[in-house]
Amino acid sequence: MKISAPKFMTDWKTGVVTGPEVQGVERRVRDLDGVFADEGAFSQLRPDRLVYRTACVFPVPEGTEGGVFWGTTFIEPGTVGAEYFMTKGHFHAKADRMESYFTFAGTGLLVLMDTARNCWAEEMTPGSTHLIPPYTAHRTVNTGDDVFSFGACWPSDAGHDYDSIAESGFSARAMRVDGSPVLVPA
């Protein structure tokens, strides 16, 4: 029997994923209009400044039942006013799907919101693992001074519902208050 080399590799200290089919997306300030509360502070940032990027593997077509996707998100350190850099956030299009996150480097928060708009957060530190329940919106926030990286694994048929968050936002925001992260009502 033949033993083959792994097709993909993950650096468990940084989260860097390598392999022949790794796909990436970058989100810069210009891509995040309407995400942050302080529009004045947002308008002062360079439009091309990187906020976060992803490196993901999609081994089956999106929507395939029974498949999984995985990848890493890297969020840069920074704030817009007192609000930390964060991802856009989303529900799943198939809302009954779960997702898992695991932290590689840096510090952050996983902000969660259920369909009744109850919002809470979990601290993310290297080695922490998080399960996102069904019917729960989620976004991640870099609360540290270094790049915050975490891995994710989700069903290939989950899809993303960004529109609900773009319309109504989260009911709370992660803000720097007296030098520490605090979840405050939006």
Side-chain angles (χ1 to χ4, degrees):
M1 291 191 124
K2 180 182 175 186
I3 298 174
S4 60
K7 190 172 184 179
F8 302 98
M9 295 295 293
T10 302
D11 182 323
W12 291 99
K13 290 184 181 176
T14 65
V16 170
V17 180
T18 55
E21 299 162 7
V22 176
Q23 298 178 33
V25 171
E26 291 185 345
R27 298 281 183 233
R28 297 183 179 278
V29 168
R30 66 175 162 261
D31 304 316
L32 300 171
D33 190 33
V35 172
F36 295 93
D38 188 337
E39 293 176 13
F42 181 81
S43 70
Q44 299 301 309
L45 295 175
R46 285 187 350 263
D48 64 338
R49 182 172 177 185
L50 181 65
V51 177
Y52 67 95
R53 64 184 175 88
T54 63
C56 298
V57 177
F58 306 106
V60 297
E62 186 167 3
T64 301
E65 197 168 310
V68 294
F69 295 154
W70 73 91
T72 302
T73 299
F74 303 86
I75 307 176
E76 297 295 313
T79 59
V80 178
E83 192 170 14
Y84 295 99
F85 276 8
M86 62 185 165
T87 59
K88 291 170 37 171
H90 62 273
F91 283 99
H92 287 146
K94 283 193 174 181
D96 63 347
R97 299 304 195 248
M98 296 177 70
E99 188 167 355
S100 62
Y101 285 177
F102 35 96
T103 310
F104 295 118
T107 56
L109 294 175
L110 169 58
V111 179
L112 302 145
M113 183 179 71
D114 64 22
T115 55
R117 298 192 53 77
N118 298 305
C119 208
W120 68 99
E122 297 177 4
E123 290 183 350
M124 295 180 74
T125 57
S128 67
T129 303
H130 308 268
L131 293 176
I132 298 163
Y135 305 99
T136 304
H138 42 287
R139 78 167 17 138
T140 47
V141 179
N142 183 344
T143 60
D145 296 324
D146 300 307
V147 173
F148 169 49
S149 64
F150 64 92
C153 186
W154 66 100
S156 54
D157 67 345
H160 295 90
D161 171 10
Y162 291 105
D163 292 342
S164 295
I165 300 305
E167 286 177 21
S168 302
F170 277 71
S171 60
R173 294 180 172 277
M175 309 293 279
R176 181 178 297 182
V177 177
D178 296 327
S180 297
V182 176
L183 201 59
V184 300

